[in-house]
RNA sequence: UGCCCGGUCGUCUAAUGGCAGGACAGCGGCCUUUGAAGCCGUACGUGGAGGUUCGAAUCCUCCCCGGGCAACCA
């Protein structure tokens, strides 16, 4: 699918964090079978560029690992969903070039299974029927800073819950009478875990299940369990769902512990000058700011298709922007590049004059027509094909290609100046004709017969312009599009305004243009480059009415225009790094009295500094561990190793129950302090000690670790490395001193990490001097 | 203000203790019968302050900044 040229593998392919997770899952054996992803839209709106990113991500990943990607409609809310959106979604995914095969699923098909799972939850006392009102539930949930309070119904018996839930399912109760809640923890710092509602009563007709179900599961219940039912291995979603992950895991642990899906979150796409919230897109459609979901200015997939973007360009764009966890706002230029790049090799060239100016070629006889052969493709595109372009006495050129008083770098027509007609001859402007109002109405030019296109160039002119015969050209409507919003981030609004106030009133302009005859008939291409104007695509909607209207997909890159009317680029000021008043912080600030005293004592007794002392003091057993180890090893080194090396290797649990004795730890520190082990080796040993509980001495023996400090031995390694990389030595001597790290790395690798780095470094510096 | 997640060229994204790399945008040049495309070159970055280390974007501490979370939506 996506072209991955195997030849470039040498250049170390970069992997995004999801790929890295999958890679390591396969190595570790967490996933032994197929990689199964899923794309899970709710059918309540038209898919947009943000969906395209998720579609490409999920399907490409499945492709890459030869697994599969399910299409699942998360249709658990009957009020907003519709078959129309299901159809749109499927169409757009296919159009993008992806295929889910037989794996088309609906959460609404799982209603029976999900209901049974809810019953299992009730039976294990992990869910209960709550009969509080919605307002009470909300009020009792607490706030972000205060814990919630338990529902008075939280302790209903399993039997009562079962019978109430059965009643809910049977339709015995009105909307809102009861809900089913997971019994988790009303005091959880994560609001989602405060007994989330998992089923609600909703007497509503579902677009697929009709009135079969009076109760519907909520996303937080349906989603993880649907993933589990389908055997999804990697469930990808956007960042805002990260707080849902504990709940996801809680439910899966309770009902599908193994094998089980895992959720991973990545940043959603934000694109300059567009909005992608469904609500806002819907508003644009409903308030007629645009011509429907597929208006060519819309960021919907259907809009982009109608505008003339290609599936390849969209996929390429998604590849370019990558996948990561940092919030982002992608520059339009990146999308535009992907589109132009694809279209350049795809669209045959023709000529079309959008704002015409009449030119009379005074030395061409009236009524004569010369058919010029013109290639559809520029010289650097290896495609063939030509058409005939009629040249007549009267032609039309673009208004903007003439300037009565040209600026210095204007390479086009002006009084007395010459320019080449594309595929034709060089002409000279002899006379400018104006009306009473002083407006230019036509130009009189003479044509130089000796300069026909393709002939040996007798002379050259700076400019080449497009043109169309005034008598043979065909009128046609073209629509030019600009960005829908005037500002990069339309969501960034002033008090009392909405994103709508940022709409660009000139986002579409319509022209009656004149196109060369070859592109005017019914049976021509639907996509062209109009030379020097941009790429155009036949509007599919108008075509249904038999009308040929050309949408400008995108302009050509135009360095001339940019030079001459600098469009102010979006100014995005980075936070003006508020130079912080260099506050000398008291490391003991905020400590309780006991820790405070302890920290002071540790610092005074061992001289390790207040900051480290405070770090140790807040955990009494760590402080004790430190003191114990300090008996047999230098206390500063013990503190450093404890804080900077040991702690990050341990889990919260591991820190509470340290995996070895203080004395053993001290031995290790001592091995390093005495130069027996390099720091790298000591870290290696530490990791082994945590993993196996083995003593440092036995690990050192087993792995045969010993630091090499012998100069002559190290010198020969250094020399070998330098000899092996003469180019880098050269570069180093040329000033790229960062390469010292490269050489160090080479020597360290050569010695399997046992070289004494200080010695190596001084040797390297000596040899490279 | 509680919890969670983030912060690398203008933008997007790599580098998982060892050369801060790529792409887009920019700038300069070459080429050109599209002021396109192509080719060559160039500038630009690790939020801040300390610490550990021979060596830190990466590990530790504190600070700063951004985002998310209190629907019976997804």
């Amino acid at each position: 699918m996506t072209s991955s040229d195997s030849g470039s593998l040498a250049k170390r392919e970069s992997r995004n964090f999801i790929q890295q997770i999958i890679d390591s899952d396969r190595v570790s054996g967490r996933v032994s079978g197929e990689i199964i992803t899923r794309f899970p839209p709710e059918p309540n709106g038209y898919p947009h560029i943000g969906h395209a990113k998720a579609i490409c991500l999920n399907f490409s990943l499945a492709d890459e690992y030869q697994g599969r990607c399910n299409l699942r409609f998360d249709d658990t809310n009957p009020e907003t969903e519709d078959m129309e959106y299901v159809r749109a979604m499927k169409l757009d995914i296919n159009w993008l070039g992806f295929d889910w095969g037989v794996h088309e699923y609906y959460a609404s098909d799982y209603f029976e299974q999900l209901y049974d799972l809810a019953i299992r939850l009730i039976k294990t006392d992990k869910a209960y029927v709550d009969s509080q009102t919605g307002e009470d539930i909300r009020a009792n949930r607490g706030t972000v800073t205060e814990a919630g309070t338990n529902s008075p119904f939280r302790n209903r018996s399993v039997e009562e819950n079962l019978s109430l839930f059965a009643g809910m399912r049977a339709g015995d109760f009105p909307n809102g009478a009861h809900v089913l809640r997971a019994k988790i923890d009303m005091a959880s710092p994560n609001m989602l875990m405060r007994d989330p509602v998992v089923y609600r009563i909703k007497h509503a007709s579902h677009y697929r299940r009709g009135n079969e179900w009076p109760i519907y599961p909520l996303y937080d219940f349906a989603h993880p369990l649907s993933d589990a039912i389908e055997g999804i291995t990697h469930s990808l979603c956007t960042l805002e769902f990260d707080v849902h992950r504990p709940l996801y895991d809680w439910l899966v642990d309770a009902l599908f512990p193994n094998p089980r899906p895992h959720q991973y979150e990545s940043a959603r796409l934000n694109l300059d000058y567009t909005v992608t919230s469904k609500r806002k897109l819907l508003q644009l459609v409903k308030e007629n700011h645009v011509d429907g979901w597929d208006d060519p200015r819309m960021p919907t997939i259907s809009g982009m298709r109608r505008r003339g973007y290609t599936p390849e360009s969209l996929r390429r764009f998604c590849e370019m922007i990558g996948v990561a966890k940092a919030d982002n706002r992608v520059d339009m230029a990146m999308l535009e590049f992907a589109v132009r790049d694809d279209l350049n090799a795809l669209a045959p060239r023709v000529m079309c004059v959008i704002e015409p100016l009449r030119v009379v070629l005074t030395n061409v006889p009236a009524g004569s027509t010369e058919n010029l052969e013109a290639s559809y493709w520029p010289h650097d595109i290896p495609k063939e094909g030509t058409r005939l372009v009629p040249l007549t006495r009267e032609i039309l050129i673009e208004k903007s290609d003439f300037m009565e008083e040209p600026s210095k770098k204007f390479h086009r027509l002006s009084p007395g100046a010459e320019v080449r007609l594309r595929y034709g001859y060089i002409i000279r402007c002899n006379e400018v004709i104006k009306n009473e109002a002083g407006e230019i109405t036509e130009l009189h030019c003479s044509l130089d017969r000796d300069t026909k296109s393709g002939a040996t160039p007798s002379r050259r002119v700076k400019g080449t312009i497009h043109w169309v015969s005034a008598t043979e050209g065909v009128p046609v409507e073209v629509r030019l599009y600009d960005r829908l919003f005037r500002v990069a981030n339309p969501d960034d609004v002033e008090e009392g305004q909405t994103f709508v106030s940022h709409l660009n009133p000139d986002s579409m302009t319509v022209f009656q243009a004149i196109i060369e005859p070859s592109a005017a008939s019914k049976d021509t291409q639907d996509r062209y480059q109009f030379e020097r104007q941009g790429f155009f695509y036949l509007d599919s909607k108008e075509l249904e009415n038999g009308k040929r209207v050309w949408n400008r997909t995108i302009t050509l890159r135009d360095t001339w225009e940019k030079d001459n009317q600098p469009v102010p680029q979006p100014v995005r000021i980075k936070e003006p790094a508020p130079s912080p008043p260099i506050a000398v912080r008291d490391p003991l600030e905020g400590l309780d009295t006991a820790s405070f005293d302890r920290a002071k004592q540790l610092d005074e007794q061992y001289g390790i500094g207040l900051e480290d002392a405070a770090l140790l003091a807040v955990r009494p057993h760590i402080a004790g561990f430190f003191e114990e180890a300090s008996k047999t090893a230098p206390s500063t080194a013990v503190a450093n190793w404890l804080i900077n090396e040991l702690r990050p290797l341990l889990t919260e649990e591991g820190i509470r129950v340290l995996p070895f004795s203080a004395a053993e730890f001290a031995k290790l520190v001592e091995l390093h302090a005495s130069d027996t082990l390099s720091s790298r080796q000591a870290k290696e040993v530490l990791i082994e000690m945590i993993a196996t509980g083995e003593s440092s001495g036995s690990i050192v023996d087993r792995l045969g670790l010993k630091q090499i400090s012998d100069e002559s031995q190290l010198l020969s390694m250094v020399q070998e490395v330098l000899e092996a990389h003469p180019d880098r030595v050269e570069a180093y001597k040329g000033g790229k001193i960062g390469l010292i790290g490269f050489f160090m790395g080479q020597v360290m690798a050569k010695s399997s990490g046992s070289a004494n780095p200080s010695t190596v470094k001084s040797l390297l510096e000596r040899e490279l001097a």
Side-chain angles (χ1 to χ4, degrees), chain A residues 735-749:
Chain A
K736 199 163 161 61
I737 56 166
L739 282 169
I740 191 81
F742 168 77
F743 296 127
M744 279 297 292
Q746 294 293 309
V747 176
M748 293 309 283

Side-chain angles (χ1 to χ4, degrees), chain A residues 157-351:
Chain A
S157 69
V158 169
E159 291 68 34
E160 190 182 1
N161 283 324
L162 249 17
S163 105
L164 247 15
F165 190 52
M168 286 167 64
R169 194 264 172 271
D172 296 345
F173 307 112
N175 288 352
H178 310 284
V179 292
L180 185 71
R181 300 180 74 176
K183 192 185 279 192
I184 307 179
D185 177 11
M186 289 306 291
S188 170
N190 182 343
M191 299 296 292
L192 266 312
M193 297 295 271
R194 321 247 258 229
D195 288 10
V197 173
V198 295
Y199 262 95
R200 80 280 214 183
I201 299 172
K202 192 164 271 193
H203 293 275
S205 177
H206 187 274
Y207 77 106
R208 293 184 75 245
R209 303 300 302 261
N211 294 317
E212 242 181 294
W213 286 83
I215 56 172
Y216 292 91
L218 278 111
Y219 166 87
D220 278 316
F221 185 76
H223 195 87
L225 298 176
S226 301
D227 281 351
I229 288 169
E230 292 176 17
I232 302 299
T233 55
H234 297 82
S235 178
L236 311 181
C237 62
T238 45
L239 244 29
E240 67 268 27
F241 289 98
D242 68 338
V243 285
H244 295 244
R245 183 161 19 98
L247 179 49
Y248 185 106
D249 289 338
W250 186 90
L251 277 165
V252 172
D253 283 342
L255 297 164
F256 283 91
N258 194 41
R260 48 161 302 165
H262 284 266
Q263 173 183 304
Y264 302 96
E265 309 88 18
S266 65
R268 67 166 58 244
L269 166 66
N270 295 293
L271 191 56
D272 268 355
Y273 298 99
T274 61
V275 296
T276 43
S277 107
K278 261 183 230 173
R279 202 203 90 233
K280 287 173 185 147
L281 295 179
L282 183 66
Q283 188 180 344
L284 291 175
V285 172
K286 284 218 164 134
E287 295 177 1
N288 293 314
H289 298 296
V290 295
D291 173 33
W293 287 100
D294 63 349
D295 184 294
R297 292 164 294 180
M298 289 283 271
T300 49
I301 296 178
S302 49
M304 294 187 292
R305 174 170 57 235
R306 183 171 160 201
R307 181 164 173 159
Y309 290 9
T310 58
E312 291 74 18
S313 61
L314 256 25
R315 289 204 306 265
R316 175 80 192 284
F317 170 69
C318 289
E319 231 172 85
M320 282 169 71
I321 59 173
V323 181
K325 295 198 76 161
D327 292 325
N328 62 70
R329 176 163 291 279
V330 175
D331 195 330
M332 272 287 220
M334 237 187 277
L335 213 207
E336 293 177 344
F337 170 83
V339 172
R340 285 195 188 104
D341 196 43
D342 189 40
L343 258 25
N344 182 45
L346 205 71
R349 274 60 168 175
V350 293
M351 294 192 287

